[in-house]
Amino acid sequence: MIPNLSNFISRFNQYIQHLTSSNLGTFILSLSIYLLFSSIYFPESVFKKLNKSFSQNEIFIQDFVNHKIDYPLEATKNKDEGDHFMKRELRITPYLIGKIFHLNALKLFYLQSLSLIAFIWLFLNTVKKLMRNNASIAFWSVLAMLFTYVGHSFNYDTLFYDSFAYLGLMLSIYFYDKKISILILVFSYFVDERAVIPSLVMPIYFILNKNEFSKISTSLSGVLRLLILKNKSFYFVTISISIYVIIRTILYLQFDLKTPVGSNSGVSIGFALRHGAKMIYAIYYALKVFLIFPIFAICAMAVKKNYWLAISFLMIFVACLMVSTSVDDVTRSMSFSFILIFIPFKLAAEFNEIRPLRHLLYLMFIIHLITPTYTLLLNLIPMEPWQWGKLF
């Protein structure tokens, strides 16, 4: 039984390798994965539209978004700073998309779900390239990612449009050494400001892609030179953040658009600690077992005695954790850090750890598939499979 299973998986991996040898084949695979995933976790907005089951709060949110699409630069009036709508004043990318393409709030949800196809395609190609053209690892890794909150958000999220930022961050990794990444990052930051911290990993990603790890300097001055002076991604990220800050400042001064902070607004260091053990679960559901990948990368860098690079990566990972626990919606916040996992993928290829990584991904996929995914919004809310069955 086991030998036959092993042979089947091996032949299946060979088929995936053959299929992804062309862009058309990769697209067909991406579309197939999307349809399979969506048959299990049906797009929430489509289900609620067909079932006429939008709650009054969701209808209210759609009305808010529709108004912002019509008037994206109009500040919300008479709102308490603790109101979540105040935090969405400067998250204008979805509103601008809606205005430019004449989409209402509901159609933006449909577009978000369809954009998962692009996310899968980009993820597959990025990991395949990092893994020296190993398509099977790319395939199993994208399957494992889909069954985390990151993947679920494309079909489940009917409130925040976070997935546009996830897609933007994925695009920024794909075009990490291209100027277009500046525009992509600014686009992502204006979906949600929590995309800023994870994007800081791009200069490290640039170093690992442009240098053999054994030849990367281990001295502080050498690492800083590679991170800053000889690093296109550093300049792209710096320019992106600068543009973002300038635009935010202008929008505040000219239109009174701002993001409230402080404990009264539900934003402060350690704010999520009040949830107790729920916070730990909420962090886990964001990326599930992928959470250990950054830890593996940090340990691998330290073992190879590149302590300063390890510290740089550690600081970004810790910053992501701090940001995610500074608000109530811990799961959503931590999910933005998914782009950190491309660092350990690159290191695994560099250190010839491809075979154990493949076996780990098999296990991760099974764990992610059979375990539920929750998101923390005051309480842990489950992502329910087979929702379409309730239509009959």
Side-chain angles (χ1 to χ4, degrees), residues 203-261:
I204 298 177
Y205 187 73
F206 182 92
I207 290 175
L208 296 177
N209 277 280
K210 299 298 183 181
N211 302 274
E212 290 183 28
F213 191 86
S214 60
K215 296 180 180 179
I216 296 174
S217 174
T218 57
S219 68
L220 176 58
S221 60
V223 169
L224 288 176
R225 186 163 54 252
L226 287 173
L227 277 174
I228 299 173
L229 298 179
K230 298 182 178 181
N231 198 307
K232 284 184 181 180
S233 288
F234 172 81
Y235 295 114
F236 295 159
V237 172
T238 302
I239 293 170
S240 301
I241 295 175
S242 300
I243 293 172
Y244 174 64
V245 171
I246 291 170
I247 295 175
R248 277 187 66 119
T249 302
I250 293 172
L251 292 175
Y252 171 68
L253 294 175
Q254 294 294 319
F255 303 99
D256 195 33
L257 296 174
K258 59 183 178 181
T259 302
V261 295

Side-chain angles (χ1 to χ4, degrees), residues 119 149-151 153-154 161-171 188 191 331-339:
F119 181 88
Y149 181 79
V150 174
S153 71
F154 286 85
Y161 305 107
D162 291 336
S163 307
F164 288 122
Y166 301 154
L167 178 61
L169 289 172
M170 188 68 247
L171 279 165
S188 303
V191 176
T331 309
R332 289 179 55 227
S333 301
M334 193 62 197
S335 295
F336 288 93
S337 65
F338 81 92
I339 64 170

Side-chain angles (χ1 to χ4, degrees), residues 61-74 76 84-105 108-109 159-161 164 187 190-192 251 257:
I61 291 172
Q62 288 180 37
D63 290 341
F64 168 83
V65 172
N66 285 331
H67 181 78
K68 295 297 288 185
I69 290 171
D70 291 333
Y71 307 99
L73 300 180
E74 179 181 283
T76 303
H84 191 274
F85 289 103
M86 287 293 290
K87 301 174 187 176
R88 300 177 67 160
E89 293 282 70
L90 282 162
R91 299 173 184 173
I92 61 175
T93 294
Y95 313 144
L96 293 177
I97 293 174
K99 193 170 187 67
I100 292 170
F101 295 103
H102 305 289
L103 304 175
N104 61 23
L108 275 175
F109 298 144
L159 302 175
F160 306 112
Y161 305 107
F164 288 122
F187 164 94
F190 276 109
V191 176
D192 197 299
L251 292 175
L257 296 174

Side-chain angles (χ1 to χ4, degrees), residues 257-284:
L257 296 174
K258 59 183 178 181
T259 302
V261 295
S263 57
N264 291 335
S265 303
V267 183
S268 61
I269 299 298
F271 186 82
L273 292 174
R274 68 196 183 106
H275 292 297
K278 287 182 182 178
M279 185 189 72
I280 299 174
Y281 291 114
I283 292 173
Y284 169 75

Side-chain angles (χ1 to χ4, degrees), residues 1 66 72 117 131 154 175 181 192 210 221 228 236 248 271-272 289 292 296 309 312 335 339 349 356 376 379 381 390:
M1 178 67 180
N66 285 331
I117 301 170
M131 291 288 101
F154 286 85
F175 295 111
S181 65
D192 197 299
K210 299 298 183 181
S221 60
I228 299 173
F236 295 159
R248 277 187 66 119
F271 186 82
V289 183
I292 65 175
F296 284 163
L309 202 59
S312 299
S335 295
I339 64 170
L376 182 62
N379 294 297
I381 302 171
K390 297 178 182 179

Side-chain angles (χ1 to χ4, degrees), residues 33 37 116 119-120 141-152:
I33 293 172
F37 177 73
L116 179 56
F119 181 88
I120 292 169
S141 65
V142 79
L143 285 186
M145 180 56 71
L146 285 180
F147 291 93
T148 67
Y149 181 79
V150 174
H152 281 292

